[in-house]
Amino acid sequence: MQLKTILNRVQKFKSFVYESARWDETIGRLCLIVTVAARANSRPICSGCEKTGPGYDTMKPRRFEFIPVWNIPVFFEYAMRRVDCRSCGVRVEKVPWASGKHTLTTIYMQFLAHWARKLSWKETAVSFHTTWDKVYQAVQYIVEWGLKHREVGPIFGIGVDEIQYARGHKYLTLVYQIDDLTRLLWVGQERTVETFEKFFAMIGPEVASKIEFVCSDMWKPYLKVIREKCSQALHVLDRFHIVAKMNDAVDDVRAEEARKTKAAGHEILKHTRWCLLKRQVNLTDDQRFRLRDLLGYNLKTVRAYLLKELFQQFWDYNSPAWAGMFLDEWCRQTMRSRIEPMKKIVRMLRSHRELILNYFRARKVISSGIIEGLNNKAKVTMRKSYGFRTFRVTELALYHTLGKLPEPEIGHKFY
Ligand SMILES: [Zn+2]
């Protein structure tokens, strides 16, 4: 069987034929070069307007990288024709296996992008003897194609989250759809009012007016934009962010007290960080003993910890009214604790009381933990794609793994 028989089986083109295959070692590695030719009498298609036109001339043969076989790189070699197009002027022709100036065939980009979702970009490059940069190009192409071809609406529920992508307060704004469809809708640079407004500009007022619930943290710019753009929606402050703030407060208390006790010659708070932050069920045996020991001391840290643990009950309520009463009582008790970071939590809870209680009003539609789950996936994705911690790379990697974007249809499944 000839190589071109196989190629015709997996990827056949109407107006082009596979001619011959030969070995080549000019790039320092053994490669297969398959020459492609236009069928006799076929007219080239203008890459500008996608209409056929008369041929103008033929350029030097170009190579397009195809999917490797048996760890041997495969290239198509084809001399592109130029079209004398009536509307666009002289333009290079459009070919079905590649797009624009790409030297990778579309199917090879799809192949690499597929693996770049399962492996890190670096691992993908190493596995297929290619470069990080080509994997980047592949993901970029597939993501751009997907964004262009996806359907944005209708959207009934969204969650907005911020995430740090590089050192020095470099944040991204991520907007997820969290109704029947769970996917990343949008990635914005920074976490300002202007950033989040761009998301609403992208979806347009028609889609925005149908949003029924919004989940966010307490970041002021987000609250402001939600009030303006989604006034009809039920706005919920996400549990995950409140729990995270509470943990930060306990950790601040511990850190400060640890410094003081250490200065006084005691090491009681050494290595206690995770005992105090983890849920009790997740503690190791060692941590559990450490915690039990610690609870016997009259420390600010212990009091803050107990308040935090008590607050867990809040999430078990069904009725917003009862939850509200619990919240008020917890706040009163905590204000008397004279522990500044915890009092700060109280002030935060009090000033967002209604939005927090919306958690109980929206419980039937928003599954708790959904934003936390997405946030974790986003973090894993960011770790896997680097490379370079630029906004563009991060944005592409996030859309690629969490966007549930459509992909160009293919006849033969190469992966
Ligand atoms: Zn044209």
PDB file of all heavy atoms in Angstrom, residues 49-65:
ATOM      1  N   CYS A  49     -11.605  36.493  -0.371  1.00  0.00           N
ATOM      2  CA  CYS A  49     -13.060  36.454  -0.433  1.00  0.00           C
ATOM      3  C   CYS A  49     -13.615  35.041  -0.587  1.00  0.00           C
ATOM      4  O   CYS A  49     -14.819  34.841  -0.624  1.00  0.00           O
ATOM      5  CB  CYS A  49     -13.544  37.325  -1.593  1.00  0.00           C
ATOM      6  SG  CYS A  49     -12.937  36.754  -3.185  1.00  0.00           S
ATOM      7  N   GLU A  50     -12.721  34.055  -0.670  1.00  0.00           N
ATOM      8  CA  GLU A  50     -13.116  32.649  -0.790  1.00  0.00           C
ATOM      9  C   GLU A  50     -13.903  32.317  -2.067  1.00  0.00           C
ATOM     10  O   GLU A  50     -14.668  31.376  -2.098  1.00  0.00           O
ATOM     11  CB  GLU A  50     -13.874  32.177   0.473  1.00  0.00           C
ATOM     12  CG  GLU A  50     -13.095  32.499   1.748  1.00  0.00           C
ATOM     13  CD  GLU A  50     -13.468  31.632   2.943  1.00  0.00           C
ATOM     14  OE1 GLU A  50     -14.447  30.873   2.856  1.00  0.00           O
ATOM     15  OE2 GLU A  50     -12.757  31.729   3.968  1.00  0.00           O
ATOM     16  N   LYS A  51     -13.672  33.145  -3.107  1.00  0.00           N
ATOM     17  CA  LYS A  51     -14.273  32.819  -4.407  1.00  0.00           C
ATOM     18  C   LYS A  51     -13.155  32.346  -5.339  1.00  0.00           C
ATOM     19  O   LYS A  51     -12.012  32.741  -5.176  1.00  0.00           O
ATOM     20  CB  LYS A  51     -14.945  34.058  -5.002  1.00  0.00           C
ATOM     21  CG  LYS A  51     -16.229  34.430  -4.299  1.00  0.00           C
ATOM     22  CD  LYS A  51     -16.979  35.496  -5.101  1.00  0.00           C
ATOM     23  CE  LYS A  51     -18.102  36.082  -4.269  1.00  0.00           C
ATOM     24  NZ  LYS A  51     -17.834  37.470  -3.868  1.00  0.00           N
ATOM     25  N   THR A  52     -13.516  31.502  -6.334  1.00  0.00           N
ATOM     26  CA  THR A  52     -12.472  31.066  -7.258  1.00  0.00           C
ATOM     27  C   THR A  52     -12.162  32.204  -8.237  1.00  0.00           C
ATOM     28  O   THR A  52     -13.005  33.070  -8.500  1.00  0.00           O
ATOM     29  CB  THR A  52     -12.923  29.839  -8.076  1.00  0.00           C
ATOM     30  OG1 THR A  52     -14.159  30.138  -8.696  1.00  0.00           O
ATOM     31  CG2 THR A  52     -13.067  28.618  -7.197  1.00  0.00           C
ATOM     32  N   GLY A  53     -10.959  32.155  -8.748  1.00  0.00           N
ATOM     33  CA  GLY A  53     -10.571  33.180  -9.714  1.00  0.00           C
ATOM     34  C   GLY A  53      -9.499  32.613 -10.619  1.00  0.00           C
ATOM     35  O   GLY A  53      -9.010  31.498 -10.392  1.00  0.00           O
ATOM     36  N   PRO A  54      -9.114  33.345 -11.642  1.00  0.00           N
ATOM     37  CA  PRO A  54      -8.067  32.845 -12.530  1.00  0.00           C
ATOM     38  C   PRO A  54      -6.710  32.837 -11.824  1.00  0.00           C
ATOM     39  O   PRO A  54      -6.443  33.696 -10.987  1.00  0.00           O
ATOM     40  CB  PRO A  54      -8.087  33.853 -13.691  1.00  0.00           C
ATOM     41  CG  PRO A  54      -8.710  35.084 -13.127  1.00  0.00           C
ATOM     42  CD  PRO A  54      -9.638  34.659 -12.036  1.00  0.00           C
ATOM     43  N   GLY A  55      -5.871  31.852 -12.165  1.00  0.00           N
ATOM     44  CA  GLY A  55      -4.546  31.794 -11.576  1.00  0.00           C
ATOM     45  C   GLY A  55      -3.693  32.961 -12.041  1.00  0.00           C
ATOM     46  O   GLY A  55      -3.845  33.434 -13.174  1.00  0.00           O
ATOM     47  N   TYR A  56      -2.802  33.448 -11.193  1.00  0.00           N
ATOM     48  CA  TYR A  56      -1.921  34.552 -11.577  1.00  0.00           C
ATOM     49  C   TYR A  56      -0.521  33.990 -11.796  1.00  0.00           C
ATOM     50  O   TYR A  56       0.033  34.094 -12.881  1.00  0.00           O
ATOM     51  CB  TYR A  56      -1.929  35.610 -10.479  1.00  0.00           C
ATOM     52  CG  TYR A  56      -1.027  36.783 -10.734  1.00  0.00           C
ATOM     53  CD1 TYR A  56      -1.393  37.792 -11.628  1.00  0.00           C
ATOM     54  CD2 TYR A  56       0.206  36.883 -10.078  1.00  0.00           C
ATOM     55  CE1 TYR A  56      -0.561  38.857 -11.865  1.00  0.00           C
ATOM     56  CE2 TYR A  56       1.050  37.952 -10.304  1.00  0.00           C
ATOM     57  CZ  TYR A  56       0.660  38.941 -11.194  1.00  0.00           C
ATOM     58  OH  TYR A  56       1.491  40.009 -11.425  1.00  0.00           O
ATOM     59  N   ASP A  57       0.031  33.356 -10.758  1.00  0.00           N
ATOM     60  CA  ASP A  57       1.305  32.658 -10.903  1.00  0.00           C
ATOM     61  C   ASP A  57       1.412  31.607  -9.799  1.00  0.00           C
ATOM     62  O   ASP A  57       0.497  31.434  -9.001  1.00  0.00           O
ATOM     63  CB  ASP A  57       2.491  33.636 -10.855  1.00  0.00           C
ATOM     64  CG  ASP A  57       2.579  34.391  -9.528  1.00  0.00           C
ATOM     65  OD1 ASP A  57       1.725  34.157  -8.648  1.00  0.00           O
ATOM     66  OD2 ASP A  57       3.504  35.198  -9.368  1.00  0.00           O
ATOM     67  N   THR A  58       2.540  30.910  -9.778  1.00  0.00           N
ATOM     68  CA  THR A  58       2.749  29.879  -8.763  1.00  0.00           C
ATOM     69  C   THR A  58       4.014  30.209  -7.991  1.00  0.00           C
ATOM     70  O   THR A  58       5.022  30.582  -8.577  1.00  0.00           O
ATOM     71  CB  THR A  58       2.883  28.493  -9.432  1.00  0.00           C
ATOM     72  OG1 THR A  58       1.691  28.268 -10.194  1.00  0.00           O
ATOM     73  CG2 THR A  58       3.037  27.389  -8.418  1.00  0.00           C
ATOM     74  N   MET A  59       3.940  30.082  -6.661  1.00  0.00           N
ATOM     75  CA  MET A  59       5.094  30.449  -5.844  1.00  0.00           C
ATOM     76  C   MET A  59       5.984  29.230  -5.595  1.00  0.00           C
ATOM     77  O   MET A  59       5.668  28.128  -5.993  1.00  0.00           O
ATOM     78  CB  MET A  59       4.607  31.054  -4.536  1.00  0.00           C
ATOM     79  CG  MET A  59       3.798  32.328  -4.771  1.00  0.00           C
ATOM     80  SD  MET A  59       3.448  33.221  -3.263  1.00  0.00           S
ATOM     81  CE  MET A  59       2.377  32.094  -2.432  1.00  0.00           C
ATOM     82  N   LYS A  60       7.089  29.482  -4.882  1.00  0.00           N
ATOM     83  CA  LYS A  60       8.001  28.382  -4.523  1.00  0.00           C
ATOM     84  C   LYS A  60       7.260  27.383  -3.630  1.00  0.00           C
ATOM     85  O   LYS A  60       6.397  27.789  -2.843  1.00  0.00           O
ATOM     86  CB  LYS A  60       9.173  28.953  -3.715  1.00  0.00           C
ATOM     87  CG  LYS A  60      10.318  29.429  -4.565  1.00  0.00           C
ATOM     88  CD  LYS A  60      11.627  29.542  -3.760  1.00  0.00           C
ATOM     89  CE  LYS A  60      11.446  29.956  -2.332  1.00  0.00           C
ATOM     90  NZ  LYS A  60      12.272  31.016  -1.832  1.00  0.00           N
ATOM     91  N   PRO A  61       7.607  26.097  -3.696  1.00  0.00           N
ATOM     92  CA  PRO A  61       6.919  25.119  -2.839  1.00  0.00           C
ATOM     93  C   PRO A  61       7.079  25.461  -1.347  1.00  0.00           C
ATOM     94  O   PRO A  61       8.154  25.912  -0.930  1.00  0.00           O
ATOM     95  CB  PRO A  61       7.636  23.804  -3.148  1.00  0.00           C
ATOM     96  CG  PRO A  61       8.281  24.005  -4.468  1.00  0.00           C
ATOM     97  CD  PRO A  61       8.603  25.465  -4.570  1.00  0.00           C
ATOM     98  N   ARG A  62       6.009  25.270  -0.605  1.00  0.00           N
ATOM     99  CA  ARG A  62       6.034  25.506   0.849  1.00  0.00           C
ATOM    100  C   ARG A  62       5.748  24.203   1.563  1.00  0.00           C
ATOM    101  O   ARG A  62       5.091  23.323   1.017  1.00  0.00           O
ATOM    102  CB  ARG A  62       4.921  26.501   1.222  1.00  0.00           C
ATOM    103  CG  ARG A  62       5.361  27.925   1.295  1.00  0.00           C
ATOM    104  CD  ARG A  62       4.167  28.820   1.571  1.00  0.00           C
ATOM    105  NE  ARG A  62       3.522  28.542   2.860  1.00  0.00           N
ATOM    106  CZ  ARG A  62       2.430  29.163   3.266  1.00  0.00           C
ATOM    107  NH1 ARG A  62       1.839  30.053   2.508  1.00  0.00           N
ATOM    108  NH2 ARG A  62       1.910  28.881   4.438  1.00  0.00           N
ATOM    109  N   ARG A  63       6.220  24.107   2.814  1.00  0.00           N
ATOM    110  CA  ARG A  63       5.956  22.891   3.587  1.00  0.00           C
ATOM    111  C   ARG A  63       4.964  23.157   4.701  1.00  0.00           C
ATOM    112  O   ARG A  63       4.992  24.194   5.348  1.00  0.00           O
ATOM    113  CB  ARG A  63       7.257  22.359   4.183  1.00  0.00           C
ATOM    114  CG  ARG A  63       8.088  21.675   3.121  1.00  0.00           C
ATOM    115  CD  ARG A  63       9.355  21.110   3.702  1.00  0.00           C
ATOM    116  NE  ARG A  63      10.154  20.530   2.615  1.00  0.00           N
ATOM    117  CZ  ARG A  63      11.304  19.923   2.803  1.00  0.00           C
ATOM    118  NH1 ARG A  63      11.811  19.821   4.022  1.00  0.00           N
ATOM    119  NH2 ARG A  63      11.944  19.424   1.781  1.00  0.00           N
ATOM    120  N   PHE A  64       4.087  22.198   4.891  1.00  0.00           N
ATOM    121  CA  PHE A  64       3.081  22.286   5.955  1.00  0.00           C
ATOM    122  C   PHE A  64       3.211  21.039   6.819  1.00  0.00           C
ATOM    123  O   PHE A  64       3.155  19.919   6.293  1.00  0.00           O
ATOM    124  CB  PHE A  64       1.672  22.315   5.352  1.00  0.00           C
ATOM    125  CG  PHE A  64       1.432  23.469   4.436  1.00  0.00           C
ATOM    126  CD1 PHE A  64       1.761  23.381   3.080  1.00  0.00           C
ATOM    127  CD2 PHE A  64       0.883  24.660   4.922  1.00  0.00           C
ATOM    128  CE1 PHE A  64       1.539  24.446   2.223  1.00  0.00           C
ATOM    129  CE2 PHE A  64       0.653  25.729   4.062  1.00  0.00           C
ATOM    130  CZ  PHE A  64       0.984  25.630   2.711  1.00  0.00           C
ATOM    131  N   GLU A  65       3.377  21.240   8.092  1.00  0.00           N
ATOM    132  CA  GLU A  65       3.603  20.085   8.966  1.00  0.00           C
ATOM    133  C   GLU A  65       2.300  19.345   9.264  1.00  0.00           C
ATOM    134  O   GLU A  65       1.308  19.946   9.690  1.00  0.00           O
ATOM    135  CB  GLU A  65       4.263  20.545  10.270  1.00  0.00           C
ATOM    136  CG  GLU A  65       4.872  19.390  11.032  1.00  0.00           C
ATOM    137  CD  GLU A  65       5.781  19.859  12.152  1.00  0.00           C
ATOM    138  OE1 GLU A  65       6.033  21.084  12.271  1.00  0.00           O
ATOM    139  OE2 GLU A  65       6.245  18.986  12.918  1.00  0.00           O
TER     140      GLU A  65
END
